[in-house]
Amino acid sequence: MAANMYRVGDYVYFENSSSNPYLIRRIEELNKTANGNVEAKVVCFYRRRDISNSLIMLADKHAKEVEEESETTNEADLTDKQKHQLKHRELFLSRQYESLPATHIRGKCSVALLNETESVLSYLDKEDTFFYSLVYDPSLKTLLADKGEIRVGPRYQADVPDMLAEGELDDREQAKLEVKVWDPDSPLTDRQIDQFLVVARAVGTFARALDCSSSVRQPSLHMSAAAASRDITLFHAMDTLHKHNYDLSSAISVLVPLGGPVLCRDEMEEWSASEASLFEEALEKYGKDFNDIRQDFLPWKSLTSIIEYYYMWKTTDRYVQQKRLKAAEAESKLKQVYIPTYNKPNPNQLSSNNGKPGAVNGAMGASYQTQTSLIGRACESCYATQSHQWYSWGPPNMQCRLCASCWIYWKKYGGLKMPTQTEEEKLSPCQTTEDPRIRTHMSRQATQGTPVRNTGSPKSAVKTRQAFFLHTTCLTKLARQVCKNTLRLRQAARRPFVPINCAAIRAECKMFLNS
C-alpha cells in the first residue's frame, strides 16, 4: 500500500512509451482535473542519452575535474562494466515543468545531488538510485553546474592558522583583517545612545518630508516615520557617533549639515513598484536563485542589491500575505495519490502459446514473422539464451531481443547492463580499429543510438545498415581496365538489373593474360 502511495516531492518513473526507457521526474503538485483524473506537475530530469554529444563531453570534463578534487574512489579504479553502468545513473536537472497523467507512474526512485565525499560505487550498490551535478537547459542546450553543490575541499574551507603561543606577537597587518565600527565601552550610557537614535529617526522623517520623491512614495507621516526607523538610519547614526568619538553635540551637527538633513535610504525605498513586481514574479519562477533573477528580470540591479532587497522584503506585509495564500492553495491541493501497480502486458513482449508464437495487441502478421525470427537469439545485453520472458528491443530491422531482467534494467536506467563493442573501445582507448571505414561506421552507430547486434557471444560483430562496402580483388580491378569495351560500365550502371556476361569477360581476360 505504501509503495503505491505517491506524494509531493517523490521522485518517480513515468512511462510515455512502451519501448523507450522511463522518464524520471519529481512531483511538485498533484491536481485533480475537471473530469476527475489526477495530473502531476513535475520537474524534468534528463539522461545522458537525451542530450547532445558536445554536452556529454562537457559533462565528462566536469566529472573529471570533480574526481581530481575528491579523495574518494577514482573512476580509473572501476571496471569497464562499472564505468558503463555508472553513466546510466547520472541525470541532469532542469527547470522545465510539465504535467503528466498520474496513471503513467511506474514506481519510485531516488535522485540526489552528487556527494563528492561519497564513493561513486555507493550509487551502483543501491537499486533505483540516481545522482546529478549539472543543470540542463533544454531551450538553450546548455549545461551549468548546480548552484547547490556541496563545496568541500581546500578551495572552499579556510586554513586555520596555529594558535599563538603566550607572549608571541601577531605579525599580521590588523588593518587588513578587521575594522572597529563600534565600541561597547564608550563613555555614553544606554539612555544617551537611545536618545541620539530618536533624534536620528526624527531627522530622517523630516528629510523625507523635504524630499519630493519620498513624499510620493510615503504620502503619510506614519509611512515616513516607519521608513526612517529602518536599519539604514540606525546604522548611519551609530556610525556617525563612533566616528566623532561618541561626542553627542558633534555627532548631532553632522546629522543636519548646512545643506539640510541627511536622508538615508535602503533597497526597500530605492526600488520602484514595477521593480518590486518583477522581483516577485522572478522569485515565483526561480526561487532564491538570485543570479538567474538578475540575469532574466533585473539586469540593471546588482546582485548585492537584489539579495539585500529579498531579506527586507521578507519583513513586509506583502510577504506574509503571499505566504498565507500559498498555504491556503497547498491545503486545497492533493497531498498524495494512490496508483495501483501496472500489470498490463507490454506490446514489446514476445509471447508463446503451446509452442506457437502469438501476437500482442492483435498485431499478428508482422509480429508473427518478427517473433519466429527472434527464436533462439541471445539477449543483446547479458548474452543469456534462456529467460522466462523475452522482449523485442531496438528497430524492427535489427531483430534484437532482451531477457526479462535486462528489459527492466533498460526501462529504468536507459541502457544495457553490459557495454557494447563501441563503448568498450571508448572506455579502452588503447584498443584501436584497424579499418577506418569500420571505425567510422561504429562511431555513427554510437552517435545515433543504433543497437549493436550480437550473435550470442561477447565478440559480437557490427550489423551494417542499408549501405554496404564492396571489396574487390586485384583481378577484378584488372578486368575493368582490360575489358572496357565488353563491360561498357556506363551502360551497365544505367541498367543495374541486367546481368553482365561474366563468361565473355573471363574469356577476354584469359586471352589478354596468355598473350
Side-chain angles (χ1 to χ4, degrees):
M1 180 73 178
N4 291 358
M5 193 67 73
Y6 299 93
R7 298 174 176 83
V8 173
D10 283 348
Y11 294 91
V12 294
Y13 295 115
F14 271 91
E15 186 172 39
N16 69 337
S17 168
S18 61
S19 57
N20 290 338
Y22 294 138
L23 306 176
I24 296 178
R25 301 290 186 261
R26 185 180 70 227
I27 300 176
E28 291 293 302
E29 294 178 7
L30 291 169
N31 302 311
K32 187 172 278 190
T33 60
N35 55 7
N37 296 329
V38 177
E39 278 193 350
K41 182 183 177 183
V42 294
V43 176
C44 300
F45 285 84
Y46 291 87
R47 303 178 191 264
R48 292 175 73 94
R49 68 195 305 273
D50 300 325
I51 65 176
S52 64
N53 285 337
S54 58
L55 293 181
I56 288 176
M57 292 172 63
L58 191 64
D60 290 338
K61 182 180 177 182
H62 177 265
K64 195 171 182 180
E65 292 173 355
V66 171
E67 180 187 326
E68 290 173 355
E69 292 178 6
S70 67
E71 299 177 356
T72 55
T73 306
N74 291 330
E75 195 168 329
D77 302 332
L78 305 178
T79 65
D80 287 350
K81 181 180 177 182
Q82 288 172 331
K83 291 178 185 177
H84 168 74
Q85 293 186 355
L86 191 64
K87 294 184 184 301
H88 299 158
R89 302 300 184 102
E90 183 178 13
L91 301 178
F92 301 97
L93 172 66
S94 77
R95 294 194 180 88
Q96 182 178 348
Y97 292 86
E98 62 182 7
S99 293
L100 297 171
T103 52
H104 288 190
I105 295 176
R106 295 294 180 263
K108 293 181 183 179
C109 59
S110 173
V111 181
L113 181 66
L114 178 62
N115 190 346
E116 298 168 10
T117 60
E118 271 190 299
S119 169
V120 289
L121 286 174
S122 62
Y123 297 100
L124 290 177
D125 295 338
K126 301 173 187 175
E127 285 289 325
D128 305 315
T129 303
F130 301 87
F131 67 88
Y132 74 94
S133 61
L134 299 173
V135 179
Y136 173 58
D137 190 329
S139 56
L140 300 177
K141 308 294 182 188
T142 56
L143 273 182
L144 298 172
D146 185 48
K147 306 298 188 304
E149 62 182 335
I150 302 171
R151 297 185 173 183
V152 178
R155 290 176 57 188
Y156 306 108
Q157 271 69 48
D159 291 328
V160 181
D162 296 333
M163 185 176 178
L164 295 175
E166 188 174 353
E168 186 180 355
L169 295 176
D170 188 357
D171 56 355
R172 296 176 299 173
E173 192 175 346
Q174 297 296 323
K176 292 183 178 179
L177 299 178
E178 55 188 14
V179 177
K180 192 174 185 179
V181 295
W182 182 257
D183 186 3
D185 299 323
S186 66
L188 299 178
T189 64
D190 290 345
R191 177 176 174 78
Q192 288 175 315
I193 294 173
D194 290 340
Q195 287 174 339
F196 179 76
L197 294 180
V198 170
V199 172
R201 292 191 192 100
V203 171
T205 305
F206 181 60
R208 281 166 177 76
L210 296 178
D211 183 63
C212 296
S213 60
S214 297
S215 60
V216 172
R217 294 178 183 178
Q218 293 105 16
S220 67
L221 178 62
H222 292 86
M223 294 177 68
S224 297
S229 300
R230 300 184 71 85
D231 290 342
I232 188 71
T233 304
L234 302 182
F235 290 159
H236 173 67
M238 296 173 76
D239 186 52
T240 302
L241 198 58
H242 178 74
K243 286 180 178 178
H244 290 79
N245 297 320
Y246 301 93
D247 184 356
L248 289 176
S249 59
S250 175
I252 289 173
S253 64
V254 173
L255 288 180
V256 189
L258 293 175
V262 176
L263 176 59
C264 301
R265 285 178 176 162
D266 57 16
E267 296 298 333
M268 287 298 293
E269 290 186 83
E270 292 289 350
W271 286 43
S272 64
S274 59
E275 289 174 337
S277 299
L278 279 174
F279 174 79
E280 291 179 4
E281 183 183 344
L283 199 66
E284 183 71 25
K285 181 177 181 181
Y286 291 129
K288 292 193 291 184
D289 198 336
F290 300 115
N291 284 303
D292 288 345
I293 290 174
R294 179 175 180 268
Q295 182 177 346
D296 294 346
F297 284 85
L298 298 162
W300 58 91
K301 294 286 186 183
S302 67
L303 192 61
T304 305
S305 172
I306 293 173
I307 294 173
E308 187 177 338
Y309 179 83
Y310 167 74
Y311 285 104
M312 291 182 177
W313 173 78
K314 288 187 72 173
T315 64
T316 62
D317 291 337
R318 177 76 176 168
Y319 169 76
V320 176
Q321 290 172 3
Q322 286 196 4
K323 200 171 182 181
R324 286 174 181 168
L325 285 173
K326 286 184 178 179
E329 288 178 4
E331 285 295 325
S332 62
K333 288 178 181 176
L334 294 174
K335 301 291 187 306
Q336 58 187 17
V337 62
Y338 176 80
I339 305 295
T341 304
Y342 186 81
N343 51 15
K344 293 182 180 179
N346 191 293
N348 293 343
Q349 194 172 313
L350 302 176
S351 58
S352 178
N353 299 321
N354 299 327
K356 298 179 181 180
V360 179
N361 279 358
M364 185 61 192
S367 173
Y368 181 85
Q369 294 177 0
T370 302
Q371 293 189 35
T372 52
S373 62
L374 286 174
I375 293 175
R377 294 193 185 279
C379 173
E380 294 294 321
S381 177
C382 64
Y383 315 118
T385 55
Q386 291 184 350
S387 175
H388 69 277
Q389 184 62 60
W390 293 94
Y391 296 85
S392 62
W393 176 76
N397 63 310
M398 297 294 290
Q399 297 183 356
C400 305
R401 70 174 185 171
L402 296 177
C403 64
S405 63
C406 291
W407 175 258
I408 294 172
Y409 186 94
W410 160 255
K411 293 291 285 184
K412 286 185 175 182
Y413 304 113
L416 301 182
K417 282 184 181 180
M418 303 294 293
T420 59
Q421 189 171 342
T422 53
E423 287 171 337
E424 284 175 356
E425 290 187 352
K426 287 181 183 178
L427 295 171
S428 306
C430 58
Q431 299 175 359
T432 57
T433 306
E434 293 181 2
D435 193 339
R437 288 180 292 269
I438 297 177
R439 187 166 61 246
T440 304
H441 172 67
M442 290 168 72
S443 62
R444 185 172 66 247
Q445 277 195 320
T447 303
Q448 298 177 353
T450 307
V452 179
R453 274 287 304 279
N454 73 68
T455 57
S457 83
K459 297 180 180 179
S460 56
V462 177
K463 182 179 184 301
T464 59
R465 302 174 71 189
Q466 299 299 327
F468 65 93
F469 174 68
L470 179 61
H471 182 70
T472 57
T473 63
C474 295
L475 287 175
T476 306
K477 294 177 181 177
L478 179 64
R480 290 178 184 169
Q481 301 299 324
V482 173
C483 308
K484 284 184 178 179
N485 296 330
T486 307
L487 270 175
R488 291 182 293 179
L489 291 175
R490 285 181 178 274
Q491 287 80 354
R494 290 169 183 163
R495 295 180 296 173
F497 300 105
V498 176
I500 295 173
N501 191 349
C502 296
I505 294 171
R506 190 180 297 111
E508 188 173 346
C509 283
K510 283 182 179 180
M511 289 175 58
F512 175 79
L513 293 173
N514 292 332
S515 62

